[in-house]
Amino acid sequence: MTSAEAPLCEVRGVVEAPVDRVAGLILRVRPGQVGRHNCFLLAEHGGALTGGPDRFVLAAPGHAMTVEVGPDRLAVQGGWWYRGEYRLAPDPAGTLLVHQVRNVAERLRWGVPLANGFFRRFGPRTRDGFAVLLDRVGAELGCPVRLLGGR
């Protein structure tokens, strides 16, 4: 379930590879251990996925998350407020990868920006983390990547 409100943060990057190739890496999610060949975007979290085929639970050390996968997107939701959505779209140079962070808190929704230092640190931290992830995708696919402007 996605929030109808605007995302708290959005970052974009280009992967210089065809959409189907990028989707084969990013959208490959199945029950079992998370790693390079399963739920690549969360490989560094560790843990194991159960469920499927389009909604999973990731039991990682110290926390659990819901993982949803569709034809052009992967979403991760966990904690009391966090939802991260990754979407793929064609781009003249290959694939546009868009990451949005949404506040899905059902209670104390107003406290999310305060708890995360939103106005000072949240946006830059999200952008930095996405840049690292984008580099991992490029290294795995053996292609250039480029971080674009975000909000």
Side-chain angles (χ1 to χ4, degrees):
M1 61 181 22
T2 59
S3 168
E5 294 185 30
L8 295 175
C9 183
E10 178 179 291
V11 289
R12 297 169 170 252
V14 172
V15 180
E16 293 186 17
V19 173
D20 62 341
R21 190 160 173 239
V22 178
L25 176 67
I26 292 176
L27 304 180
R28 182 176 45 214
V29 181
R30 64 187 184 288
Q33 288 298 120
V34 171
R36 182 174 171 221
H37 299 292
N38 187 24
C39 203
F40 178 83
L41 293 184
L42 299 177
E44 293 181 352
H45 283 268
L49 291 160
T50 57
D54 56 0
R55 187 176 171 92
F56 299 84
V57 173
L58 171 62
H63 64 284
M65 294 184 269
T66 301
V67 178
E68 299 170 1
V69 64
D72 65 348
R73 68 169 178 82
L74 183 127
V76 179
Q77 189 166 323
W80 64 280
W81 71 271
Y82 178 85
R83 181 177 175 88
E85 298 176 353
Y86 298 86
R87 295 193 181 273
L88 305 174
D91 182 87
T95 303
L96 176 66
L97 178 60
V98 178
H99 173 52
Q100 295 180 331
V101 176
R102 296 183 181 277
N103 175 1
V104 294
E106 293 181 10
R107 58 180 171 55
L108 302 175
R109 186 175 182 79
W110 57 268
V112 171
L114 297 174
N116 288 289
F118 180 70
F119 295 107
R120 291 185 316 270
R121 298 182 315 266
F122 185 73
R125 276 195 333 246
T126 300
R127 184 175 172 79
D128 292 348
F130 182 75
V132 169
L133 181 65
L134 197 59
D135 286 343
R136 282 184 46 229
V137 169
E140 183 68 23
L141 295 177
C143 66
V145 296
R146 184 173 68 254
L147 185 63
L148 303 175
R151 59 178 181 94

